[in-house]
Amino acid sequence: MRFLHLFFILISYSLFGQNQLNTEFVSQLSFSNQLNDIWGYQAPNGIEYALVGTRRETIIVSLETPENPKVVATIPGTRSIWRDIKTHEKYAYVVADQGTDGLLIIDMSNLPDSVSFKFWKPQIDINGNPTPLTTCHNLYVDNGYIYLSGCRIGNQGIIILDVNQDPMNPVVVGAADLNYSHDAFVRDTLLFTSEINRGQLGIYSIADKTKPTLLATQLTTSTFTHNAWSSDDNKYVFTTDERANAFVDAYDISDLDQIQKIDKYQVLATKGSGVIPHNAHYHNGFLVTSWYTEGVVIMDVHRPDNLIRVGQYDTWDGGNGGFNGCWGAYPFLPSGLVLASDIENGLFVFKPNYKRASYLEGMVLGAKDNRAINGAEVTILSNEKNEANSDVMGVYKTGQAEDGTFLAIASHPQYLTDTVEINLISGEVTEVDFELVELEPVQLSALIVDKESGESLNEVFFSIISSSDNQALKTDEAGEVDISTFSGPLTVYAGKLGYKTVELKLDLEGKAIVFIELQKGIEDDFVFDYGWTVRSTASTGEWIRNIPQGTLFDGNKKSNPDTDAPNDIGNLAYVTGVNTTNASIHDVDDGMTTLSSPLFDISSLDNPEIEYALWFFNGGGAGTAPNDYLEVFIANSLDTVLVESVRNNSGQSGFWREKSKINIEEHLGKSSLVRVIVITEDANPGHLVEAGFDDFAIVASKSTPTQEEIADADIIISPNAFTNFLQIKVSKNLKSVTLYDLTGKLVLTEKYAKSSLIQLNTRGLSPSPYLIEIITEDGVRITEKVIKI
């Protein structure tokens, strides 16, 4: 049994703590029931204990040897999802939010040998209505007084008990019963109640505990106030909202008539993925917070107007978001150990570093007039996620755990970016003011016409993208568009269904006029939305037109694509879900997702051929071989035909495959209208499924270029065999050069404009035979075998 327990701890150490910062794993202990609250206790002989709440009992765990925690007492109780524990002297007090336990009182005087206990269930009279004490949501103990929260008595506010005279037999002394209280904390003469249903923090004076007096209320950021904890001097209070993507808030309460929110923090690495903060505890200038699927997060709050994450240990081994993972964290043991209760994975014992933050603060100003710039982004270039935005006064505040020398960047859409080298010191503030040079306004006008007829084209999609601007609109009836933007380099895209998309690189100053000719053709690089539709029976991972954001599975296997297909225009593709943190979050789950094109008129094309690029990854699962697929169909008014099926049973990295070329007439015969359908499915049993579709076109089929065409292009590849560089010379301008290995996997690609002589850098390639595909500006395409030695 001891061997099995040790084995579990070793396995746990490798699975958990995937997001670990300045926090050392000590031990982990599993339980048969799911956990809820956690508290700590030190006996008079110096032995420390973890008091663990489960759904069916209260368990006392000895930490005499922290590396080998041992259960020494179990007190059964009513089944309850919520159970809360606090201590006073040698006694523990426990409440549950379900059942009829009332207040469980545990005498721990004889630990580790035994404990005695009783369930205290008196009639409590609030507002002249005696009611038996059966359930409470939470409690807090301070200086011999117990503050019960959310009991089903009166308005379910706070009930105050005195246990100074007899810890086993409390005496009711008062109540603060204006609103439902989800949680309570007391320091000195202030009572902080988290009134979750009203989304506010209530602050009461308990100088007279028989008659608590409301002093102030404060709405919290996400208006679902779950818990609060004040600084040692009661000048600041920190709150959590138990909602997805919520924050830890910091408030200045030095003047209760004018409470000020001075900062808020959320874990940046999983921002927007639904993570939920739960319970925060202030300890010696740090805030230790249980954050469900984020585990334990430690913030330096010595400067409460600049909250910085300086420690973390992720106890949860699953995806982000939801009510899984770390319920509670207890940082007050004299040894400095932190205890954490993970709902599914049990008790964790940690040793935190409590490293002070390295702060970066200052102003962002205009270089010309020293005017404050509001909304500038300031980022430290490091391995730690960090961000800050300047306020209306131009002030920004940020920082990180790591000290040393870094680059910091300040940017704003209407200004040139400013980069400064900074030296960060732990526990100190580095002050840096950024000066940004304002961009000059530019008026850009464009006229877009049909290349063959010269007629203006209305309803053409037109967009510009630059470091300072991102706009999208359509041409008017005259084929014109006018945009106000800023000087500097930008990229222009123009496109319309039935025409080939155009990409232009411009460097603008003053007033610019652009004339664009669109050539007829059926192609879609998904720069614009031309009306492809999505249907899905899967719970997640439906097709979405987006910039691909790569994820890794099993350490280094690419699951989501991290770029769009090579050689196409823009940076968008159709992919199955977008997530940058976890391969299993937005993959295709429990069903099928279908991408369907609009109808294309191919009647004018000679022997039409469909071209597209595919990405597919299939892996993971519960020990069974991946059995999922990606399939492409083409359809006319009569038939729907499968033209390609992709499976990846090896579970290897996904990659953009060499473009598929499908002859329509071979599958459907002569057709005037055709539609393309792309389906991927997570079949039973489930595995990780990720797919991509990009670089689509329907073209007149081209035969292998004739000797005359090749001779006219005058393509010379040398040397063959080559070492680190491969030279390519053509008489006509190149469009692209691509290298594939002999399995068809793309290994290198370059795009060119108006180049007839290039050197391809192949230093990163292993010695091997390769296939090289060369495409000239006028469409000549040849493929040859080359060898790197």
Side-chain angles (χ1 to χ4, degrees), residues 324-585:
N324 301 103
C326 190
W327 179 291
Y330 180 83
F332 304 118
L333 286 174
S335 64
L337 294 174
V338 169
L339 310 177
S341 57
D342 185 286
I343 298 169
E344 294 83 4
N345 295 318
L347 168 68
F348 285 78
V349 182
F350 305 121
K351 185 177 181 180
N353 187 351
Y354 287 124
K355 181 178 182 178
R356 289 295 311 278
S358 299
Y359 301 98
L360 177 66
E361 301 178 2
M363 300 185 70
V364 183
L365 306 170
K368 182 185 294 185
D369 53 12
N370 222 33
R371 178 169 51 89
I373 298 175
N374 183 23
E377 294 184 2
V378 177
T379 305
I380 304 166
L381 298 183
S382 75
N383 293 324
E384 295 181 42
K385 290 279 187 178
N386 62 89
E387 64 178 28
N389 291 283
S390 59
D391 61 19
V392 293
M393 302 300 294
V395 174
Y396 74 90
K397 297 178 181 181
T398 186
Q400 61 182 35
E402 187 179 0
D403 50 12
T405 301
F406 302 89
L407 293 178
I409 294 177
S411 60
H412 188 282
Q414 299 175 16
Y415 295 82
L416 292 175
T417 298
D418 188 19
T419 303
V420 176
E421 185 176 276
I422 59 172
N423 185 36
L424 298 180
I425 302 172
S426 179
E428 297 187 15
V429 178
T430 298
E431 295 187 357
V432 172
D433 291 342
F434 292 91
E435 294 186 350
L436 304 187
V437 176
E438 189 170 8
L439 295 168
E440 297 296 327
V442 170
Q443 189 67 32
L444 172 63
S445 299
L447 172 63
I448 303 177
V449 301
D450 182 293
K451 185 174 183 178
E452 294 178 8
S453 66
E455 295 180 357
S456 61
L457 295 174
N458 66 347
E459 295 293 304
V460 174
F461 290 92
F462 185 88
S463 67
I464 61 170
I465 297 176
S466 71
S467 60
S468 60
D469 202 2
N470 190 340
Q471 296 186 58
L473 58 163
K474 291 183 179 181
T475 57
D476 59 19
E477 290 295 326
E480 297 177 351
V481 64
D482 294 297
I483 293 182
S484 296
T485 183
F486 300 96
S487 58
L490 59 77
T491 303
V492 170
Y493 297 102
K496 184 174 183 176
L497 187 62
Y499 288 86
K500 297 181 178 182
T501 304
V502 168
E503 176 183 28
L504 298 175
K505 303 288 187 181
L506 303 176
D507 198 344
L508 300 184
E509 290 183 8
K511 187 174 182 179
I513 300 174
V514 179
F515 178 73
I516 299 174
E517 295 178 313
L518 294 188
Q519 182 178 349
K520 287 181 178 178
I522 301 173
E523 70 172 30
D524 199 344
D525 299 306
F526 303 117
V527 174
F528 304 110
D529 183 358
Y530 289 152
W532 293 66
T533 59
V534 174
R535 290 181 295 107
S536 185
T537 62
S539 58
T540 62
E542 68 176 26
W543 288 107
I544 181 174
R545 176 179 154 268
N546 211 314
I547 299 173
Q549 298 179 33
T551 58
L552 297 177
F553 172 71
D554 197 20
N556 59 0
K557 297 175 182 176
K558 289 185 177 182
S559 50
N560 284 89
D562 50 3
T563 65
D564 67 335
N567 296 325
D568 78 333
I569 290 175
N571 59 358
L572 287 89
Y574 266 98
V575 292
T576 51
V578 176
N579 186 277
T580 60
T581 58
N582 191 311
S584 64
I585 295 298

Side-chain angles (χ1 to χ4, degrees), residues 597-636:
S597 76
L599 280 171
F600 297 111
D601 184 351
I602 60 172
S603 57
S604 63
L605 296 178
D606 182 24
N607 197 19
E609 185 177 79
I610 293 178
E611 300 178 348
Y612 53 82
L614 295 177
W615 173 290
F616 187 63
F617 172 80
N618 194 199
T624 58
N627 61 336
D628 310 307
Y629 61 87
L630 171 64
E631 293 182 339
V632 181
F633 298 79
I634 57 175
N636 58 18

Side-chain angles (χ1 to χ4, degrees), residues 256-269:
L256 289 176
D257 292 328
Q258 294 185 356
I259 296 176
Q260 299 180 47
K261 181 165 68 177
I262 53 177
D263 201 9
K264 61 181 182 180
Y265 177 84
Q266 61 183 170
V267 181
L268 298 177

Side-chain angles (χ1 to χ4, degrees), residues 31 33-39 50-59 80-81 83-85 94 327 341:
F31 296 87
N33 290 309
Q34 291 190 334
L35 269 56
N36 36 60
D37 195 33
I38 184 77
W39 204 249
L51 310 182
V52 181
T54 82
R55 292 196 173 189
R56 293 189 177 275
E57 62 248 324
T58 303
I59 298 177
S80 178
I81 296 173
R83 183 168 265 108
D84 200 68
I85 309 165
V94 185
W327 179 291
S341 57

